[in-house]
């Protein structure tokens, strides 16, 4: 490695150790690289501007963030919760089963794991903690695990960003996440069932039939969002980026006009929260463009491809190696760094081995979701602890079965790409 790359890595690691915001750390390391290489510092502005303002796809990110925040502020979570109680509440461990089904539905609206945990997840935890049969750790573990469905089931903010760095089709990526997302939810509900039977967890009280129509009606309205989004995308009515704008408008009409759950004050709070969230993502993207410029200038992606070729790993061997690498790095690095810095370095090797970009993208996002729920950098663990006060140790003690389940699914998706690619191919997308 050249001195420039060593300095870049050193500044990046130092910034992270000092707990500097990751976007600033990435930008600082890029500036340090340019100084060592004696290049024009104006390249920072050039790379950031070209990366941020030449991407139409990137517009979808703040709009999906806004839609998710509107849904959380507009009592949508509570309405979906009541809707799902009718469907699965009578199962053993009913509240935990409800949480998983709520996450499936909310995933079709938000595309964000953090939004899922902070919205419907918080509603479910409060309900579970009212009953002694549900331990704090179990309640937190179920919510943390089910929140990983958010970026797998479309729409998905990480998949939009992956499409930005890889050039893969956003529409194909969204379709590719449906079957894995359904499998994840089914496996989670199976795990909960076995635990609930073993611990004799309660079923939810039976809801009288006369109360079903209004509950089903109120809960069914939010279900129209994923139908509108996916139907519009795959019918050609609008692009995935335009779908994000439709999602934001749809959420605003539901929460503000239909439910009348938004005041001007709460709406302003949603706007400010969405602005902050979008700014954080944009700052990280800006830093990643600088790092990618440095890596490209040093020939790192090409060297990575040559190294993979020399090892003669084959497709499956390479994907297994990538899975292990991401799972290890996920213990120490923010998922945004994995997505925006490491994925571009691997793309030449992906192309060399003929691996489908859509298949690779789903594996990458699933790896990221596993990274969100295991320490020491499991962001969902920290978010849930901050919102509920449940110690991370208690959640991990109860959550290991969900992590094992996700690892088994990751292995299956790696070995059998058709699980991921069947639906996009059926819908006519040009994936391999």
């Amino acid at each position: 490695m050249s001195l420039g790359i060593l300095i870049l890595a050193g500044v990046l690691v130092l910034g992270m150790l000092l707990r500097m915001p990751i976007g600033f750390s990435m930008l600082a390391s890029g500036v340090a690289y340019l100084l060592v290489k004696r290049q024009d510092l104006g390249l920072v502005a050039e790379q950031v501007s070209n990366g941020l303002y030449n991407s139409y796809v990137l517009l979808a990110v703040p709009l999906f963030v806004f839609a998710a925040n509107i849904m959380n502020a507009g009592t949508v979570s509570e309405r979906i919760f009541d809707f799902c109680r009718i469907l699965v509440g009578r199962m053993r461990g009913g509240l935990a089963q409800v949480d998983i089904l709520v996450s499936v539905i909310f995933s079709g609206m938000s595309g964000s794991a953090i939004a899922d945990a902070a919205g419907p997840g918080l509603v479910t935890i409060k309900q579970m903690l009212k009953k002694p049969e549900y331990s704090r750790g179990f309640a937190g573990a179920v919510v943390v695990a089910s929140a990983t469905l958010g970026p797998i089931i479309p729409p998905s903010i990480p998949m939009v960003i992956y499409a930005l760095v890889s050039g893969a089709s956003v529409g194909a990526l969204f379709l590719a996440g449906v079957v894995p997302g359904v499998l994840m939810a089914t496996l989670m509900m199976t795990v909960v069932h076995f635990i609930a039977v073993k611990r004799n967890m309660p079923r939810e009280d039976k809801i009288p039939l006369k109360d079903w129509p209004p509950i089903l009606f109120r809960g069914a309205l939010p279900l129209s969002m994923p139908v509108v989004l996916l139907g519009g995308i795959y019918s050609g009515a609008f692009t995935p980026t335009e779908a994000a704008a439709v999602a934001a408008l749809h959420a605003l009409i539901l929460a503000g006009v239909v439910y009348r759950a938004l005041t001007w004050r709460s709406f302003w709070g949603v706007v400010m929260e969405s602005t902050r969230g979008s700014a954080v993502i944009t700052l990280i993207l800006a830093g990643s463009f600088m790092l990618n410029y440095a890596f490209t200038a040093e020939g790192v992606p090409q060297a990575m491809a040559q190294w993979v070729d020399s090892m003669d790993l084959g497709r499956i061997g390479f994907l297994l190696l990538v899975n292990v690498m991401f799972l290890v790095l996920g213990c120490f690095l923010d998922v945004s760094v994995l997505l925006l810095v490491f994925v571009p370095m691997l793309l030449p090797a992906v192309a060399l081995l003929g691996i489908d970009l859509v298949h690779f993208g789903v594996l990458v996002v699933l790896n990221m979701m596993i990274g969100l729920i295991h320490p020491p950098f499991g962001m969902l663990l920290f978010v849930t602890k901050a919102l509920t006060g449940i110690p991370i140790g208690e959640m991990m003690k109860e959550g290991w079965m969900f992590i094992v389940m996700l690892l088994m699914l990751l292995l299956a998706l790696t070995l059998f790409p058709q699980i991921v690619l069947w639906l996009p191919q059926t819908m006519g997308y040009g994936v391999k």
Side-chain angles (χ1 to χ4, degrees):
M1 289 191 294
S2 70
L3 176 61
I5 289 295
L6 290 175
I7 293 296
L8 180 148
V11 173
L12 180 62
V13 171
L14 179 62
M16 294 171 67
L17 290 175
L18 294 175
R19 298 192 176 184
M20 183 187 298
I22 186 65
F24 288 125
S25 298
M26 295 164 76
L27 285 171
S29 61
V31 171
Y33 170 81
L34 294 178
L35 289 174
V36 171
K37 302 296 286 187
R38 297 184 178 180
Q39 296 188 32
D40 184 3
L41 291 181
L43 281 171
V44 176
E46 179 185 341
Q47 291 299 314
V48 170
S49 298
N50 287 338
L52 291 178
Y53 299 113
N54 285 341
S55 175
Y56 180 62
V57 171
L58 193 57
L59 288 174
V61 174
L63 291 169
F64 279 133
V65 170
F66 178 69
N69 287 335
I70 284 284
M71 285 295 189
N72 276 337
T75 71
V76 173
S77 299
E78 291 84 349
R79 297 171 192 274
I80 298 175
F81 177 85
D82 291 336
F83 176 83
C84 292
R85 279 183 60 200
I86 291 178
L87 300 182
V88 297
R90 294 294 294 164
M91 298 173 66
R92 281 286 178 190
L95 285 176
Q97 302 287 14
V98 166
D99 176 72
I100 295 170
L101 188 57
V102 168
S103 293
V104 171
I105 296 173
F106 198 80
S107 297
M109 298 179 284
S110 72
S112 167
I114 303 298
D116 198 333
L122 187 59
V123 173
T124 314
I125 283 181
K126 289 179 179 178
Q127 294 297 320
M128 280 193 276
L129 293 184
K130 292 178 180 178
K131 300 190 176 183
E133 294 88 353
Y134 296 96
S135 67
R136 293 190 307 172
F138 178 78
V142 171
V143 166
V144 165
S146 64
T148 60
L149 290 164
I152 302 296
I153 296 176
S156 166
I157 292 174
M159 286 185 182
V160 170
I161 297 175
Y162 171 81
L164 171 68
V165 299
S166 68
S169 164
V170 177
L173 284 165
F174 281 3
L175 277 176
V178 173
V179 173
V182 171
L183 289 175
M184 285 173 65
T186 303
L187 290 171
M188 287 179 191
M189 295 183 82
T190 303
V191 170
V192 167
H193 175 74
F194 281 116
I195 295 175
V197 170
K198 183 179 179 181
R199 300 182 186 179
N200 196 29
M201 289 181 176
R203 306 175 192 268
E204 284 299 281
D205 295 333
K206 191 172 183 179
I207 299 175
L209 280 175
K210 63 182 180 63
D211 295 335
W212 281 33
I215 293 175
L216 291 175
F217 176 74
R218 291 195 303 267
L221 284 177
L223 289 174
S224 61
M225 179 179 284
V227 173
V228 170
L229 287 185
L230 299 182
I233 292 173
Y234 303 127
S235 67
F238 40 73
T239 68
T241 302
E242 292 165 347
V246 173
L249 179 61
H250 193 284
L252 194 57
I253 291 173
L254 273 184
V257 178
V258 178
Y259 295 149
R260 298 185 181 275
L262 277 181
T263 63
W264 284 109
R265 184 183 183 88
S266 61
F267 175 72
W268 178 249
V270 167
V271 171
M272 295 303 296
E273 181 63 28
S274 302
T275 302
R276 283 191 291 267
S278 301
V280 169
I281 296 173
T282 303
L283 184 61
I284 294 171
L285 282 167
S288 72
F289 293 134
M290 272 310 305
L291 294 192
N292 291 335
Y293 167 80
F295 290 139
T296 302
E298 296 291 331
V300 174
Q302 291 73 22
M304 181 78 73
Q306 292 172 6
W307 176 69
V308 170
D309 187 41
S310 67
M311 293 181 67
D312 196 25
L313 290 172
R315 296 185 184 184
I316 299 300
F318 171 74
L319 290 175
L320 290 174
L321 179 63
V322 168
N323 287 340
V324 172
M325 181 183 74
F326 276 9
L327 291 171
V328 172
L329 291 175
C331 295
F332 308 101
L333 297 175
D334 187 90
V335 294
S336 57
V337 178
L338 298 178
L339 182 62
L340 293 167
V341 177
F342 286 89
V343 168
M345 289 195 293
L346 295 171
L347 290 176
V350 171
L352 181 68
L353 294 171
I355 297 170
D356 189 89
L357 284 176
V358 171
H359 178 222
F360 186 68
V362 172
L363 294 182
V364 165
V365 174
L366 182 53
N367 268 292
M368 290 169 52
M369 294 305 99
I370 297 173
L372 283 175
I373 63 174
H374 69 71
F377 210 86
M379 183 62 70
L380 283 173
L381 295 172
F382 289 105
V383 168
T384 305
K385 180 181 183 299
L387 292 173
T388 65
I390 300 173
I392 291 177
E394 292 184 20
M395 287 188 279
M396 286 308 305
K397 183 179 178 181
E398 297 278 6
W400 66 269
M401 289 186 64
F402 295 104
I403 294 177
V404 170
M405 176 272 297
L406 287 174
L407 290 174
M408 292 173 61
L409 179 61
L410 176 63
L411 179 62
L413 298 183
T414 301
L415 298 178
F416 305 103
Q418 281 306 115
I419 299 175
V420 174
L421 298 177
W422 169 76
L423 188 56
Q425 288 174 341
T426 301
M427 295 296 291
Y429 282 91
V431 294
K432 298 177 183 176

